[in-house]
Amino acid sequence: MSLQAAEFFAELCLPHDHAVVGATYFAAPVSGAPLRLRIEFTATIHADTYGGLRMAVIHPDRGEIDAVALSFLDHGTFHRRDEANNTRPNTKQYGTFSTYHHLGRPPWEGAVTTGLRDAIEQYTAVWFPGAWAASTPNRTASRSAHRAPASPATRSQARTR
């Protein structure tokens, strides 16, 4: 069955000019600059099962300059799905997805990509400064989760001896 990589990368809402070839995302975050961004799925020890993404900065003459692995488990991508399905840690399905899925549904159904997207944004900010902000002027308005500031401690909540 299909990995549906183009749809997965579309779900990430990455702001760069890009192309998806097979299961790999290629982008040129800074127009006219030689550096490129490549993102691909990382396989697990199980056939047709993926546990994260591998991002790399590519130079046309020098090849791969830097790379980092982003696991789905570390970024909470399938936390909600695994909790809802009562999937236990240390099983093949926990924090991963495989190409085997229900017809008409993506193999990565139930993924929450906010953590991955934030990690990709942080990584690209190092190698492509300003590229993310230039292509997404109002990113904070589109966030799905907001943290409320903590209320200041009152006298009754203060620590006593």
Side-chain angles (χ1 to χ4, degrees), residues 30-111:
V30 178
S31 297
L35 295 180
R36 301 290 182 255
L37 179 66
R38 178 180 68 206
I39 305 175
E40 54 197 347
F41 293 95
T42 57
T44 66
I45 61 172
H46 303 283
D48 300 321
T49 303
Y50 301 91
L53 299 175
R54 183 179 187 274
M55 294 183 10
V57 175
I58 310 296
H59 188 276
D61 297 327
R62 296 187 294 175
E64 189 173 286
I65 295 176
D66 188 55
V68 65
L70 306 173
S71 79
F72 294 143
L73 187 59
D74 290 345
H75 293 89
T77 307
F78 294 107
H79 178 74
R80 288 184 188 166
R81 179 205 67 186
D82 291 343
E83 256 188 6
N85 294 336
N86 201 26
T87 305
R88 296 183 182 268
N90 300 321
T91 61
K92 175 183 173 182
Q93 296 83 14
Y94 188 75
T96 66
F97 76 89
S98 70
T99 55
Y100 303 104
H101 58 281
H102 298 293
L103 191 61
R105 296 183 183 168
W108 36 266
E109 183 177 28

